[in-house]
Amino acid sequence: MAQTSKKPPRTPASAARRRAPLDRLLDPELFRALGDPTRLLLLACLCKCARECTVSEVGGCCDVDLSVVSRHLATLERAGAVRSRREGRTVFYAASFDHLTTSLRSLADALDDCARCRTPGCNC
Amino acid sequence: MAQTSKKPPRTPASAARRRAPLDRLLDPELFRALGDPTRLLLLACLCKCARECTVSEVGGCCDVDLSVVSRHLATLERAGAVRSRREGRTVFYAASFDHLTTSLRSLADALDDCARCRTPGCNC
DNA sequence: GCAATACTTGCACGATGGCACAAACGAGCA
DNA sequence: TGCTCGTTTGTGCCATCGTGCAAGTATTGC
């Protein structure tokens, strides 16, 4: 796609950090996992809960079958949104705050770069 | 349930932004729109393109029917990821950098608050 | 061993989503 | 007016998704 160079490329202070390319940060799996209302409800529950929660506990926040909760949590874990820890017969889930915030901010940074960069042919 | 009296200290950067509750920021529509590989391809194309692009131009970046591109762009616009402008019979699309980065960073901030807040029952 | 608990997996079903193709729409132009 | 071009909408097909129910697995307690 043709690109013009109307504005000269600006160099923000944050550009000192090394950036990942935009394509790598636009991860369909993470967004897909966050694209379901029930899953978001479960994630929000885990976020607000000030501790690790069992599958049954998380399931208490929405009115779906426990098997559905189990599957949704597995999906969220595959996407890196939550992490799990097994202890005997119970599984504890917790929000992966670090991974989530890092992913979101890295993407925001990459988008900022793209918005500022006016170099023709630059892949950001 | 809602405890708003005591909040943990925030970093200066995050404190500068006004906070919305986590639930409001976990928008299924935006994430759902970003959850499809083809749509992400179109969005990435728009991001890297240093100008507004027509539907046909954006469609050039992936191998799907133009009608599909049109629908995908409409979906992205409904989610606030892109914006459009009609000029005669052509429609120009551009990435909504501001909206995207604001959404992502606000969510990251809210998640940070949640992660720091260890008050049981707090709704962050 | 046996039962209870905590969770996962198999399965069926309806809903939704992505896609291509064709047709329609609407603006510009001869 | 009729034509072309850029885009949208209608339609049908097929794959995937979300869900509940039932059965299975694994661990704990009696």
Side-chain angles (χ1 to χ4, degrees):
Chain A
M1 191 142 298
Q3 302 197 349
T4 60
S5 55
K6 286 182 180 176
K7 304 178 205 169
R10 283 172 278 173
T11 48
S14 57
R17 261 183 298 167
R18 183 98 188 98
R19 298 307 169 87
L22 186 63
D23 303 291
R24 239 179 48 77
L25 297 168
L26 286 173
D27 175 27
E29 191 177 10
L30 175 60
F31 293 126
R32 189 161 196 80
L34 300 180
D36 180 71
T38 308
R39 271 196 295 271
L40 282 187
L41 217 58
L42 297 170
L43 179 60
C45 172
L46 276 177
C47 285
K48 294 186 221 163
C49 205
R51 55 181 173 81
E52 292 180 317
C53 290
T54 68
V55 176
S56 310
E57 285 173 329
V58 186
C61 77
C62 60
D63 193 28
V64 291
D65 196 85
L66 210 61
S67 67
V68 175
V69 176
S70 173
R71 266 184 270 251
H72 277 323
L73 289 175
T75 300
L76 286 171
E77 187 174 26
R78 272 195 304 274
V82 304
R83 55 184 165 72
S84 72
R85 182 178 59 87
R86 175 174 286 275
E87 197 171 286
R89 62 185 166 192
T90 74
V91 178
F92 292 95
Y93 276 93
S96 293
F97 288 107
D98 285 349
H99 181 264
L100 283 172
T101 55
T102 301
S103 298
L104 295 171
R105 292 208 173 96
S106 299
L107 177 53
D109 288 347
L111 287 169
D112 272 342
D113 284 353
C114 255
R116 292 199 188 96
C117 177
R118 287 291 172 266
T119 308
C122 174
N123 220 23
C124 286
Chain B
M1 180 74 180
Q3 280 189 322
T4 53
S5 52
K6 282 199 169 183
K7 286 281 181 179
R10 294 162 175 162
T11 65
S14 64
R17 273 187 287 272
R18 169 106 173 67
R19 296 315 166 84
L22 186 63
D23 303 292
R24 238 179 49 77
L25 298 168
L26 285 173
D27 175 28
E29 192 177 9
L30 175 60
F31 293 125
R32 191 164 198 78
L34 299 181
D36 179 70
T38 307
R39 271 197 296 270
L40 283 188
L41 218 56
L42 297 171
L43 178 61
C45 172
L46 277 177
C47 285
K48 292 185 220 165
C49 204
R51 54 178 176 82
E52 294 180 316
C53 290
T54 69
V55 176
S56 310
E57 285 173 329
V58 186
C61 77
C62 60
D63 192 28
V64 291
D65 196 86
L66 214 59
S67 68
V68 176
V69 176
S70 174
R71 265 186 266 252
H72 276 323
L73 289 175
T75 300
L76 286 171
E77 186 174 28
R78 273 195 303 275
V82 304
R83 55 183 165 72
S84 73
R85 181 179 60 85
R86 174 175 287 274
E87 197 172 286
R89 63 185 166 190
T90 72
V91 179
F92 292 94
Y93 276 94
S96 294
F97 287 107
D98 285 350
H99 181 263
L100 282 172
T101 54
T102 302
S103 298
L104 295 171
R105 292 211 172 93
S106 299
L107 178 52
D109 288 346
L111 287 170
D112 272 343
D113 283 352
C114 256
R116 274 196 289 270
C117 177
R118 283 290 169 263
T119 310
C122 173
N123 222 22
C124 285

